Amino acid sequence: MPNTLDTSALSSSNYAKRLSKSSLAGLLLLAFSLPFSMPAMAAIGLNDPLPINPDLKRGKLDNGLTYYIQKNDSPQKKVELRLVVKAGSVLEDDDQQGLAHFTEHMAFNGSKHFKKHQLISYLQSIGVKFGADLNAYTSFDETVYILPIPTDKPAYLKTGFQVLADWAQGVEMKDVDIDKERGIILEEARLGKGASDRMMRQFLPEVFNGSKYAERLPIGKEDIIKQFKHDALRRFYKDWYRPDLMAVVVIGDVQPAEAEKMIRKYFSGLQNPVPARVRPQINIPKNTASKAMVITDKEATNNLLMLRYPLVKQPAHDVIADYRQDIIAGFYKSMLNRRLGALTEQANPPFLGASAGSEQVVPGYDSFISTAMLSQAGIQPALDALMQEKNSIRQFGFTAAEFDRAKKIEAREYESMFNERSKSNSATFAAEYIRNFLTNEPIPGIKNEYLYFKEFAEGISLEEMNQFARNATPDDTTRLAFYVGSNKAGETIPSETDLLAMTATAEQKPLQARTEKAASASLMSTLPTPGKIVSEKENKLLGLVEMTLSNGVKVTLKKTDFKNDQVLMAARRAGGMSLFSDADYFNVYYSNPVVWGMGMGNFSQKDLQETLAGKSANVRTSMDNYSESIGGASGASDIETMLQLLYLRLTSPRKDEALFQSLISSQKELARNTWARPEAIFSEAITTTIYKDNPRVPRLARVEDFDKISLDRSMEIYQSRFGSAKDLHFVFVGSFEIDKIRPLIATYLASLPHADIKTEYQDLHIDPVQGVVKKDVYAGNEEKSTVVLSFNGTSTYTREENARFHAMVDILNLKIIDVLREKQGLIYSGGLNGSFERIPSNRYSIDAELPCSPENVDKVIAALFAEIKKIQQSGPQLDDLNKVKQSWLKEHQQELRSNENWLNHLQSAVYYKTDPDSILTVEKRIRAITPAQIKEAAQRYFNFQNYAQIVMYPEKKNDAK
């Protein structure tokens, strides 16, 4: 159960994102030419209350419990259940710090109807994964329990409601279970330790203006977690887990009347305590003066600057006029951040990245916050740039061109959301209704939101927009200035006095009004001469259309109805970095990012963004050791734009020395900062231990790597591979019409150049070390370790063997949760990952990563090895194998309705030259796996005479080891 410390996450809703994303108002220009019709709408009264989604049933029981019910068929045969408790760490008494989070853990340790370990085991048996599906989190103001339940059988849903009811007021809290859970929570706390945690604990008191929020981090205090009296935990549960502070959310493939009946059955009996403690309102005092803080740590990975302006009470979101105002606020934030992003496209950018705008700090309070990740230019240029953009907007406002683009972009986003309204995932709705309960976020539903936008967007003038900007942008009044970064040698660190003086200097810089050139109306002024589709056949079994084009390119089309506004594209062929020498490694490795960063055709990246305003389309290229790949995505109405981007990306890479230098400068700074992390040192040790000094194994970037990159050579390499479409086979999956996509394929794919290039890979002989190899690494200040174990060897790939292999890995992950975590309390998280390689040769790898305390390293290794050997000797427990099978069967049902899954499957079939029909026999292969096969697989794949063991210990342990 993750411990939520990121306060920005408290405001991340679909609604909030739409109101804070770049150019929310972009809907205007497209709103009147959309390919669907909307019902006529009566005049909207600005003072009318905002409605709730008409598809939602919201109600309240007599005991005060609120419920949200909505039928939603995406995904099918599944319902998302949530128990939301308006109680988090901010409600803890002094002797309870960390016990809101501890209470959440105890919900999985035995309750009225489920004995300890029984709940997780039962849910796994019906296909619900612990962590991936079943989960919970605790924050400052709330605790949320997450329970997805399959609806294949009525008993599953009934049990799901019983689980929620037990969490609400049926957790047992036995002394022995409480004491055992202390170790697991301490391991969770250990995971969060490091430079970020140390620095956060210094600046949060200032961010929260000394309020109780700064004293109540959800993870709590270790001394309290170790020593609290059992009754302190029970007191928190009794005081705050009560129906008048709870909501039950039910979204999915269920009849609302049936769900409401179950809510009444299982939750009407919950009682509020008498007397009930009043849930306090935590007020945050105002800043009285400007202040600066300089916080450094030798393990800090980035140097950051943050300006936080005075906290203000959040505006109301009660009536339709408030929604209109939020639309304007969304425009404002998106245009401001687009300006800041454009500043990074300079040879010497003032920062590596920046953002600004009004953010929720805690529920009920907003603050205008500017942040920047510093570049080599340092603090003053970053401050100057942040202030210049902020003050320029106050004085001059935005330009007509900026506002026009913002409207286009948001128009397309609203169009896509409206188109996908019937295909939205149930979990997305659940998250939105949780926020409604916790912070009263409006939930009018996308139909209403779209109608409101169409009604209001046209009437928002540039003058009104800029008047809002003047009011929303803070002046040079009271602010908090933070510098957070590294204190290693050579770093220029300001004093707090200096930092305040630098912000004052930046405020006084003279301003200039922004000028805007008109964006190009189209990507291509002249279209390529079309080629031809020379053959076409249909695979009726899989619903495929397969084409061969006049230039030899092949295309596979699968039209689906899984999404209403999504088209995915991919192609992959052999070759890749293996065709280039070691001396060219860095030019090859960075060729794609170098070319991307400079744009395409006559367009810089900034130009592209402006021209693509209002379009939903992107294309990417990539290269690994043995292949090169192309990928893309678009909305249903933007397929041609995606194909134009593809054509330009492959035929017209753009050279720009200034943007190249900007990329190199930024990457050097990021690389320099990366190596402050102990995890970076450990990662390097893992690679060198397993692969020695093989120069073709990807490693974390170092500053000096970027001195080895030549702009001309990188472009030459890119063009030598992506400039020819020879042997490319494109796969398209999604919401397109075959007759409409045919001419686009002829125009943009059949016309691609197809020079004769090598499309076979060369074996680079990247072979792992043999025998038993062990290495200890000492890095970092915190008392934390990580165990990495790697088993490698040769294999023979078949679909059946692949299924047995991964079933074995998943069974062992069940044992890691059950034994290493729940029974022995050695870890909080961690597990195994396994993979098969078919190119350049058949090999397998199994890697374990297990974070733990330094004193438990040997115990963790011994416990994992013991579980592996049990399976080798006796095979898996049948129940464990059935849990894995059930989970896979549920996943497969959902994957058959996923564009992403079909794209990956079809592309894999093309690349490896296998039968795509195999997707229809997945269930048969899953059901055929036996315990004896898993036993045999464990004997074959875990060779205790051939593995690598790498362990990270803290630096101060060095002398003792």
Side-chain angles (χ1 to χ4, degrees):
M1 286 69 70
N3 160 41
T4 302
L5 297 180
D6 182 1
T7 58
S8 65
L10 300 175
S11 63
S12 63
S13 70
N14 283 344
Y15 174 86
K17 284 176 182 174
R18 288 198 295 273
L19 300 182
S20 62
K21 260 188 187 174
S22 339
S23 73
L24 209 164
L27 295 174
L28 176 59
L29 293 189
L30 293 182
F32 306 102
S33 59
L34 298 177
F36 46 77
S37 61
M38 295 292 296
M41 182 175 181
I44 300 174
L46 289 175
N47 292 321
D48 291 345
L50 276 166
I52 68 167
N53 187 342
D55 297 326
L56 170 71
K57 183 176 183 61
R58 184 176 66 173
K60 185 172 286 193
L61 301 181
D62 291 342
N63 57 16
L65 182 138
T66 304
Y67 58 86
Y68 300 79
I69 304 170
Q70 184 173 322
K71 181 171 177 55
N72 188 61
D73 296 332
S74 182
Q76 296 176 349
K77 297 183 179 180
K78 185 177 180 181
V79 64
E80 295 287 345
L81 300 180
R82 304 289 186 268
L83 175 69
V84 189
V85 188
K86 201 176 291 186
S89 59
V90 79
L91 296 182
E92 294 166 343
D93 297 329
D94 290 343
D95 65 337
Q96 295 175 323
Q97 293 180 64
L99 300 197
H101 175 234
F102 207 117
T103 301
E104 171 218 313
H105 273 244
M106 292 307 299
F108 298 87
N109 276 286
S111 63
K112 184 176 180 180
H113 294 90
F114 301 94
K115 296 179 181 178
K116 184 175 173 68
H117 305 309
Q118 184 183 32
L119 172 60
I120 294 174
S121 180
Y122 167 76
L123 292 172
Q124 288 171 336
S125 74
I126 64 172
V128 179
K129 287 185 176 180
F130 182 67
D133 299 320
L134 171 68
N135 216 320
Y137 76 84
T138 302
S139 188
F140 291 103
D141 289 280
E142 78 270 7
T143 305
V144 177
Y145 296 88
I146 301 165
L147 179 59
I149 288 286
T151 57
D152 307 62
K153 297 180 181 180
Y156 293 167
L157 189 58
K158 292 178 181 178
T159 302
F161 278 101
Q162 185 64 74
V163 171
L164 259 61
D166 272 20
W167 286 340
Q169 287 194 341
V171 178
E172 288 189 327
M173 303 264 187
K174 293 180 178 179
D175 290 359
V176 64
D177 295 333
I178 293 172
D179 290 337
K180 201 160 190 177
E181 197 68 23
R182 295 180 199 264
I184 295 175
I185 290 180
L186 290 171
E187 285 305 315
E188 181 178 357
R190 190 189 309 278
L191 280 179
K193 290 182 177 181
S196 296
D197 178 67
R198 293 191 295 266
M199 293 188 294
M200 178 187 65
R201 291 176 183 273
Q202 294 181 60
F203 71 70
L204 278 186
E206 295 299 333
V207 169
F208 292 136
N209 287 5
S211 70
K212 195 174 181 181
Y213 282 100
E215 304 168 2
R216 291 293 187 270
L217 293 181
I219 198 62
K221 293 185 175 181
E222 288 190 22
D223 57 342
I224 291 179
I225 293 169
K226 291 176 182 177
Q227 301 174 15
F228 71 84
K229 295 181 179 179
H230 302 140
D231 283 344
L233 183 65
R234 298 183 185 115
R235 185 175 77 244
F236 184 89
Y237 186 60
K238 179 182 177 182
D239 286 343
W240 303 117
Y241 274 60
R242 61 196 209 212
D244 65 334
L245 296 179
M246 290 180 178
V248 172
V249 182
V250 185
I251 314 294
D253 197 355
V254 62
Q255 293 302 320
E258 179 188 1
E260 185 176 28
K261 185 185 297 185
M262 288 192 180
I263 288 173
R264 294 189 179 279
K265 174 182 177 181
Y266 287 99
F267 294 93
S268 292
L270 301 185
Q271 297 181 358
N272 294 299
V274 179
R277 290 183 66 174
V278 176
R279 192 189 194 283
Q281 178 69 40
I282 309 299
N283 294 313
I284 300 182
K286 290 185 177 180
N287 297 80
T288 56
S290 291
K291 187 174 181 178
M293 285 192 74
V294 175
I295 304 170
T296 61
D297 194 291
K298 74 173 185 177
E299 295 177 5
T301 56
N302 294 299
N303 297 327
L304 302 172
L305 184 70
M306 183 175 83
L307 302 174
R308 201 221 70 190
Y309 291 84
L311 274 67
V312 296
K313 289 282 189 178
Q314 287 180 329
H317 296 286
D318 301 326
V319 298
I320 292 174
D322 298 328
Y323 189 93
R324 184 182 187 278
Q325 194 73 356
D326 285 334
I327 291 173
I328 299 173
F331 287 146
Y332 166 78
K333 189 172 182 180
S334 65
M335 289 188 286
L336 170 57
N337 281 286
R338 221 170 256 115
R339 282 194 177 189
L340 294 174
L343 295 178
T344 63
E345 293 191 12
Q346 302 176 10
N348 296 296
F351 37 63
L352 300 180
S355 65
S358 183
E359 303 285 354
Q360 179 179 267
V361 178
V362 296
Y365 289 93
D366 286 343
S367 173
F368 189 96
I369 298 174
S370 298
T371 60
M373 182 185 298
L374 299 182
S375 68
Q376 292 177 337
I379 299 171
Q380 192 67 61
L383 278 170
D384 290 348
L386 290 176
M387 297 295 190
Q388 283 278 311
E389 294 304 330
K390 176 178 76 71
N391 293 336
S392 175
I393 288 170
R394 275 185 62 83
Q395 183 167 335
F396 303 113
F398 296 102
T399 68
E402 286 178 292
F403 194 32
D404 181 61
R405 283 195 299 273
K407 290 177 177 179
K408 288 181 180 179
I409 292 169
E410 289 307 319
R412 186 61 182 93
E413 289 200 14
Y414 266 85
E415 177 189 1
S416 180
M417 287 186 291
F418 182 84
N419 287 342
E420 298 291 8
R421 66 195 183 279
S422 63
K423 304 294 174 68
S424 295
N425 193 283
S426 295
T428 302
F429 286 113
E432 188 174 0
Y433 300 145
I434 288 170
R435 292 186 294 270
N436 173 260
F437 177 68
L438 295 172
T439 64
N440 202 32
E441 178 185 303
I443 47 172
I446 185 55
K447 291 180 183 178
N448 283 324
E449 293 187 50
Y450 177 71
L451 289 172
Y452 297 155
F453 191 90
K454 285 190 68 175
E455 178 76 9
F456 298 135
E458 184 179 14
I460 301 171
S461 66
L462 179 62
E463 290 73 20
E464 182 182 6
M465 181 69 249
N466 285 335
Q467 182 58 51
F468 176 91
R470 281 187 284 274
N471 294 333
T473 308
D475 58 15
D476 60 352
T477 56
T478 307
R479 61 178 166 257
L480 296 175
F482 296 91
Y483 171 85
V484 179
S486 173
N487 59 9
K488 54 184 176 285
E491 207 73 61
T492 302
I493 302 170
S495 68
E496 293 179 352
T497 301
D498 290 341
L499 186 55
L500 272 183
M502 294 166 84
T503 61
T505 298
E507 281 281 6
Q508 302 306 314
K509 294 282 185 180
L511 303 174
Q512 286 186 325
R514 186 183 184 91
T515 57
E516 281 281 328
K517 67 176 183 179
S520 176
S522 62
L523 286 171
M524 302 178 71
S525 56
T526 303
L527 300 185
T529 302
K532 294 182 179 179
I533 300 171
V534 298
S535 68
E536 184 174 314
K537 63 179 181 179
E538 187 177 2
N539 180 332
K540 293 185 178 180
L541 182 64
L542 297 183
L544 308 179
V545 174
E546 299 168 336
M547 301 173 172
T548 300
L549 310 184
S550 52
N551 59 355
V553 169
K554 294 184 177 180
V555 179
T556 296
L557 305 175
K558 180 171 177 61
K559 177 186 174 183
T560 72
D561 61 358
F562 310 149
K563 291 283 187 180
N564 296 326
D565 198 17
Q566 183 187 65
V567 178
L568 304 179
M569 171 190 72
R572 186 184 181 193
R573 71 179 170 204
M577 295 191 293
S578 71
L579 302 181
F580 298 89
S581 68
D582 292 354
D584 254 334
Y585 177 75
F586 292 101
N587 285 313
V588 178
Y589 190 80
Y590 289 101
S591 59
N592 278 278
V594 164
V595 171
W596 296 343
M598 296 184 296
M600 62 183 78
N602 296 319
F603 299 92
S604 69
Q605 285 290 78
K606 180 176 181 295
D607 296 334
L608 274 174
Q609 291 171 9
E610 293 175 357
T611 299
L612 292 174
K615 301 289 186 180
S616 176
N618 66 77
V619 168
R620 64 190 181 278
T621 58
S622 61
M623 195 183 302
D624 60 24
N625 276 330
Y626 297 110
S627 68
E628 50 246 8
S629 300
I630 299 168
S634 77
S637 60
D638 296 316
I639 299 172
E640 184 168 14
T641 300
M642 175 177 66
L643 292 175
Q644 288 182 345
L645 287 171
L646 171 66
Y647 188 89
L648 290 173
R649 180 66 76 192
L650 301 190
T651 63
S652 304
R654 177 177 180 271
K655 183 176 179 180
D656 189 314
E657 183 71 34
L659 291 179
F660 171 71
Q661 291 301 329
S662 175
L663 171 71
I664 296 300
S665 174
S666 298
Q667 291 301 312
K668 281 185 173 182
E669 186 68 9
L670 290 171
R672 185 176 73 90
N673 292 334
T674 294
W675 285 94
R677 300 171 59 241
E679 292 80 7
I681 298 169
F682 187 49
S683 174
E684 179 78 355
I686 293 170
T687 302
T688 56
T689 300
I690 297 174
Y691 295 102
K692 299 299 183 183
D693 295 319
N694 192 314
R696 305 309 289 264
V697 177
R699 289 178 166 86
L700 292 175
R702 294 182 179 274
V703 173
E704 58 267 26
D705 295 348
F706 299 97
D707 294 327
K708 302 170 186 175
I709 300 174
S710 159
L711 172 56
D712 289 338
R713 180 57 179 153
S714 290
M715 290 195 68
E716 182 184 4
I717 288 169
Y718 177 89
Q719 290 173 297
S720 74
R721 299 309 300 165
F722 291 100
S724 171
K726 180 186 174 184
D727 289 341
L728 284 177
H729 188 144
F730 288 89
V731 178
F732 290 80
V733 178
S735 51
F736 53 79
E737 297 297 330
I738 302 292
D739 289 342
K740 291 182 179 179
I741 202 172
R742 278 195 187 96
L744 300 179
I745 288 171
T747 300
Y748 297 107
L749 296 187
S751 62
L752 286 171
H754 53 283
D756 187 17
I757 63 172
K758 187 173 183 178
T759 56
E760 297 176 351
Y761 61 83
Q762 295 180 172
D763 192 344
L764 293 173
H765 300 289
I766 303 175
D767 299 319
V769 67
Q770 297 297 298
V772 177
V773 179
K774 297 182 180 181
K775 184 176 181 60
D776 293 340
V777 181
Y778 301 90
N781 293 325
E782 299 289 350
E783 284 293 307
K784 54 194 294 188
S785 286
T786 302
V787 174
V788 167
L789 297 161
S790 182
F791 293 83
N792 293 274
T794 58
S795 61
T796 301
Y797 178 88
T798 66
R799 294 191 185 93
E800 291 74 17
E801 184 63 15
N802 185 56
R804 293 190 285 265
F805 173 83
H806 283 96
M808 172 196 71
V809 170
D810 280 7
I811 288 168
L812 281 166
N813 279 325
L814 291 179
K815 305 314 292 184
I816 287 171
I817 293 170
D818 181 46
V819 178
L820 276 72
R821 173 183 159 132
E822 296 299 324
K823 291 179 179 174
Q824 297 186 21
L826 295 172
I827 63 171
Y828 170 72
S829 64
L832 302 180
N833 284 304
S835 63
F836 267 120
E837 288 182 7
R838 285 179 268 179
I839 291 176
S841 60
N842 281 289
R843 297 193 63 87
Y844 74 90
S845 65
I846 303 172
D847 299 307
E849 183 172 344
L850 299 165
C852 62
S853 67
E855 61 268 22
N856 284 336
V857 165
D858 293 340
K859 293 178 182 177
V860 165
I861 296 170
L864 176 60
F865 282 7
E867 294 306 315
I868 294 171
K869 290 175 179 177
K870 284 179 186 177
I871 294 180
Q872 288 179 326
Q873 294 165 7
S874 306
Q877 295 176 355
L878 183 59
D879 283 350
D880 287 338
L881 176 57
N882 287 338
K883 289 173 184 176
V884 169
K885 287 184 177 183
Q886 190 67 15
S887 175
W888 285 8
L889 291 169
K890 297 298 181 190
E891 289 174 357
H892 182 59
Q893 288 177 1
Q894 297 179 31
E895 288 169 349
L896 288 175
R897 299 284 301 171
S898 161
N899 288 333
E900 290 83 359
N901 181 68
W902 274 97
L903 183 79
N904 292 336
H905 172 75
L906 294 173
Q907 185 187 28
S908 177
V910 167
Y911 185 67
Y912 292 109
K913 298 179 175 59
T914 57
D915 183 2
D917 296 359
S918 65
I919 196 171
L920 302 178
T921 54
V922 169
E923 183 174 332
K924 180 181 178 181
R925 288 194 294 277
I926 293 172
R927 296 188 185 280
I929 302 170
T930 67
Q933 291 171 339
I934 301 301
K935 176 182 176 179
E936 182 184 356
Q939 293 170 348
R940 183 164 55 254
Y941 294 115
F942 286 103
N943 180 358
F944 288 101
Q945 303 304 312
N946 185 45
Y947 69 92
Q949 173 183 306
I950 308 99
V951 180
M952 183 172 75
Y953 292 97
E955 287 177 0
K956 64 182 180 181
K957 294 284 186 180
N958 193 19
D959 294 337
K961 295 298 291 184

